[in-house]
Amino acid sequence: MNKTAFFDSLTEQKPDPLLELIAKFAADPRSAKIDLGVGVYRDETGRTPVMRAVKAAEHHLWETQESKSYIGPEGDHAFLRALAREVFGERHGGKPVAGIQTPGGTGALRLAAELLALDNRRKIWIGTPTWVNHQAIFAAVDLQVGTYRFFDISKQTVLIDEMLMTLRNAAPGDAVLLQTSCHNPTGAGLSSQNWRDIADIIAAKGLLPLFDNAYQGLGHGRVEDAAGMIDVIGAVGEAMVAVSCSKSFSLYRERTGAVYLFGDQQAPLNKGIGNLANYARTSYSMPPAHGAAIVAAILQDQSRRQAWVDELSEMRNRIAEIRRAAAEAFAQFRPDLANIASQEGMFSLLPVSPENVRQLRAEHGIYMPDSGRINVAGMRVADVASVTERIGPYLA
């Protein structure tokens, strides 16, 4: 009998660096260790709590939900409608919109990538540094990826001129990936004028924007964080938006997200959703229902929605407080790091070499990726002084 040796012929894959970092942190016995790597919100006790509004919504579902039947490849339509109103506003940027539910923001980006890759002449432009999974997602569907420098780590500033020049030189029909707010990994924000300039160039060049909207409400506010995205959507013919509910609703493990398509007419959008549903059907068939049901139960009930809005504001204000304290402390070592105070969301990118990151891990129990990205929300306010004192001497 001939035995197959297929599995042994496979190429061994390196473990994901961030997942490997989580395992190393868990195995570290030191009580003073601190995790600045994993991208989850933590409160002052160091926990990632279930939001009060989520608890209330789950209780409501426990009392009223009558079935666990399939929800179909397009997902929960009540969730999609409620989330669209919350993310884009009542008028949806003045354009028709259609959506499909996905397993988290990563699933949303993957479906969008599949759709973009139907045109093999298209390239997608991504500013660097960016979320570590972005380029891998688009490369997995054989989409051409072009990059430009988005952020100067040493000066802690956005390289807006390089970004705009790249967009001006892009080919008509190319896509451009834009993070709506709270940029991962830099925390860098764009001004209103920056967004207007981006909208003008994308419209003039006939580019297709794909927004990664993962942190809305954790920067300056739910409406404020979406303002630049709405400007671009209003200026262009078509746009795509990948939405994650992981951070804004703290539904990390529920894998809750959506892809929305915008255009000038509804019929082409419906065709786009049909294609996305086909990709979903041959990949995961149907999205998980529980997280979407929670979000819909929150957004469709005024008291639960207000509880969510209030708690999201508490989270945002706490992150801002930590940022101010960290900026003041880090600026004693590098004045440019005072910019951390004006950045948005959970992440900042420190000028620390991979060698020094590993040394900080070994000698001080401070865990972060080799890139130097830190999760600001991983610290308590009381931790800031000691953490910055330990990191400061290792800054490049």
Side-chain angles (χ1 to χ4, degrees), residues 196-279:
R196 286 192 290 270
D197 292 341
I198 291 167
D200 289 345
I201 295 171
I202 289 177
K205 293 287 297 188
L207 305 180
L208 180 55
L210 168 58
F211 288 91
D212 185 356
N213 186 22
Y215 306 96
Q216 188 174 348
L218 292 174
H220 297 287
R222 299 174 343 279
V223 175
E224 295 86 346
D225 289 353
M229 175 178 65
I230 298 300
D231 283 347
V232 175
I233 290 173
V236 302
E238 296 178 324
M240 307 171 72
V241 183
V243 181
S244 170
C245 297
S246 294
K247 307 300 192 297
S248 298
F249 290 86
S250 288
L251 288 174
Y252 303 93
R253 66 177 61 170
E254 303 298 349
R255 310 312 302 136
T256 307
V259 179
Y260 290 98
L261 308 182
F262 286 86
D264 293 324
Q265 297 180 352
Q266 193 68 48
L269 299 184
N270 295 338
K271 188 184 294 185
I273 293 298
N275 277 265
L276 291 173
N278 185 60
Y279 290 126

Side-chain angles (χ1 to χ4, degrees), residues 89-243:
E90 290 292 337
R91 295 187 61 251
H92 299 152
K95 286 183 176 293
V97 60
I100 182 171
Q101 184 188 332
T102 61
T106 303
L109 288 168
R110 177 57 187 256
L111 283 193
E114 295 275 9
L115 201 60
L116 290 172
L118 288 174
D119 184 348
N120 59 16
R121 299 165 299 174
R122 173 178 285 127
K123 180 180 288 188
I124 186 165
W125 293 95
I126 303 176
T128 60
T130 192
W131 178 45
V132 67
N133 213 17
H134 274 149
Q135 294 192 42
I137 289 170
F138 297 108
V141 298
D142 295 324
L143 192 62
Q144 299 179 67
V145 176
T147 61
Y148 60 89
R149 292 198 311 154
F150 173 77
F151 187 75
D152 186 318
I153 300 173
S154 63
K155 295 181 180 179
Q156 294 287 299
T157 56
V158 174
L159 300 171
I160 188 63
D161 291 337
E162 293 194 28
M163 179 183 186
L164 297 179
M165 182 61 67
T166 298
L167 299 184
R168 290 189 186 100
N169 292 332
D174 278 357
V176 54
L177 180 69
L178 301 167
Q179 294 191 41
T180 305
S181 63
C182 306
H183 189 273
N184 182 359
T186 70
L190 296 169
S191 70
S192 298
Q193 185 60 54
N194 292 157
W195 280 115
R196 286 192 290 270
D197 292 341
I198 291 167
D200 289 345
I201 295 171
I202 289 177
K205 293 287 297 188
L207 305 180
L208 180 55
L210 168 58
F211 288 91
D212 185 356
N213 186 22
Y215 306 96
Q216 188 174 348
L218 292 174
H220 297 287
R222 299 174 343 279
V223 175
E224 295 86 346
D225 289 353
M229 175 178 65
I230 298 300
D231 283 347
V232 175
I233 290 173
V236 302
E238 296 178 324
M240 307 171 72
V241 183
V243 181

